[in-house]
Amino acid sequence: MYSESTARSGHTDDAPLLAKELSWKHRMKNKWYRMDRVSRVVFSLVFLALGAALVSRIAIEVLSPFDNWPRTTIPPRLDDDNNSARTDGERRKAVRAAMQHAWQGYRNHAFGKDELQPVSNSSNNKWGGWGVTLIDALDTLHIMELHEEFKEGVRHVARVNFSKAKTGYTTPFFEMVIRSLGGLLSAYEMSLDARLLKKAKEVGDVLMPAFNTSTGIPYPRVDVNTGKAVASQHVCIAEAGTVQLEYWKLSELTGDPVYHETAQRVVDLLDKADKPFKGLYPIWLNIKTGKLDSGSITFGGMGDS
């Protein structure tokens, strides 16, 4: 006879059996009978809860009972910082008005110059005189639908001679790629004004002499007045390794692959370079040898971009 007591012990009346010799059904039954009453109740409740959850999930997927429930619209949140109740639309208007204010100040006191000096209402050409603030602001003007201001800016850019800079000034390659070339490319893609692509190509071309090195790693500065780069032994990886996006886009828009191919060589070289730690690059790159010279690694300036 097979009884609860024999099942609990794992024996029969005839002969003892090892647990491993029992079928899985017998083993499960043995485990069940070895549990006390409380454990059985808890196990049963958990099993029923899981079963109910599974059945509910299947019902939701098959029957979709909530599809016809009424939609709920969440009202705009109050601005707890200044106790105002501005809607998103009012916020957009306020940001747009701030841009108009900034543009008007630049237009009145520094139009066409590199920077506005707001305290003295004067200007400077510390970036060589290309009007970097204006170029960098074009895409923002277009996004904010300040179309008259945008058109005024484009008219000015169309007259800029990017092969010339302030006398004695050497143009920082990286800064002008991200600000001037990048600004012109983004403004062109938003407006499709052909004048902007023409000027972007001019900027890309006058900065290309930076790549005239034995390794293809760019020099950090270019004298656009002479069309030659300023020789240097080192360049930081943030300057050499983050100009590829703009030059790739210039190749895409002009159909000339030379811009992308030239800039991409730097990344290819960095991929193969010996690094003190896998995936981490020291900040200084030797232009002549193509090797990483410094042991300093940082996520801050000179290594961040």
Side-chain angles (χ1 to χ4, degrees):
M1 296 292 292
Y2 191 89
S3 65
E4 180 173 333
S5 60
T6 57
R8 289 182 179 179
S9 62
H11 295 75
T12 65
D13 295 334
D14 299 323
L17 295 175
L18 294 176
K20 65 179 181 179
E21 295 174 338
L22 296 174
S23 69
W24 69 270
K25 290 182 180 180
H26 287 165
R27 289 197 297 271
M28 292 298 295
K29 189 176 291 186
N30 286 344
K31 290 181 181 179
W32 175 260
Y33 286 128
R34 290 192 186 102
M35 295 169 61
D36 58 44
R37 183 171 297 177
V38 174
S39 299
R40 291 184 191 180
V41 172
V42 172
F43 180 84
S44 299
L45 291 175
V46 171
F47 183 79
L48 289 173
L50 291 174
L54 179 61
V55 171
S56 299
R57 183 62 185 173
I58 293 173
I60 291 172
E61 292 294 334
V62 175
L63 303 176
S64 301
F66 305 116
D67 286 354
N68 296 323
W69 281 25
R71 303 291 181 183
T72 301
T73 301
I74 300 175
R77 292 191 307 170
L78 297 181
D79 186 350
D80 297 330
D81 294 335
N82 55 20
N83 295 320
S84 65
R86 291 182 176 177
T87 64
D88 288 343
E90 290 172 327
R91 289 174 183 273
R92 285 192 291 270
K93 289 179 181 178
V95 173
R96 189 171 185 266
M99 180 62 184
Q100 287 176 305
H101 171 78
W103 177 260
Q104 197 60 40
Y106 174 76
R107 185 179 185 276
N108 292 340
H109 304 290
F111 190 80
K113 304 294 185 181
D114 283 336
E115 291 182 343
L116 166 69
Q117 298 179 169
V119 175
S120 61
N121 283 336
S122 58
S123 62
N124 68 58
N125 277 328
K126 65 181 294 183
W127 298 99
W130 286 357
V132 174
T133 292
L134 187 152
I135 296 170
D136 216 2
L138 287 176
D139 54 353
T140 303
L141 292 171
H142 198 280
I143 289 171
M144 294 187 175
E145 298 181 349
L146 297 171
H147 296 307
E148 292 305 314
E149 292 86 345
F150 177 81
K151 291 176 182 177
E152 183 181 32
V154 172
R155 286 194 296 270
H156 173 79
V157 168
R159 297 191 296 267
V160 175
N161 181 0
F162 288 104
S163 65
K164 299 294 180 183
K166 184 172 64 176
T167 302
Y169 181 77
T170 56
T171 301
F173 171 68
F174 166 73
E175 297 290 349
M176 289 303 104
V177 168
I178 65 172
R179 300 176 193 278
S180 296
L181 180 55
L184 291 167
L185 289 171
S186 59
Y188 167 72
E189 287 212 288
M190 291 180 183
S191 66
L192 298 180
D193 190 316
R195 293 174 294 179
L196 294 170
L197 180 57
K198 178 183 177 182
K199 288 299 177 179
K201 186 177 184 303
E202 287 183 17
V203 173
D205 287 338
V206 300
L207 296 176
M208 284 291 280
F211 291 105
N212 292 338
T213 64
S214 58
T215 57
I217 298 171
Y219 287 124
R221 303 190 78 89
V222 177
D223 187 340
V224 299
N225 293 316
T226 64
K228 297 180 180 180
V230 180
S232 177
Q233 185 175 354
H234 294 92
V235 64
C236 70
I237 59 169
E239 293 182 352
T242 52
V243 298
Q244 287 67 34
L245 175 63
E246 290 83 359
Y247 273 111
W248 174 84
K249 178 57 69 173
L250 186 60
S251 282
E252 181 188 45
L253 295 175
T254 62
D256 188 345
V258 68
Y259 304 111
H260 166 62
E261 291 171 355
T262 303
Q264 183 61 31
R265 280 200 292 267
V266 179
V267 174
D268 295 340
L269 190 149
L270 287 173
D271 283 342
K272 299 173 184 177
D274 293 328
K275 296 170 279 293
F277 302 100
K278 186 177 181 180
L280 296 177
Y281 290 79
I283 59 175
W284 290 111
L285 190 59
N286 190 302
I287 296 173
K288 293 183 179 179
T289 66
K291 295 181 179 181
L292 295 162
D293 268 7
S294 168
S296 300
I297 298 172
T298 178
F299 295 118
M302 297 189 293
D304 51 354
S305 300

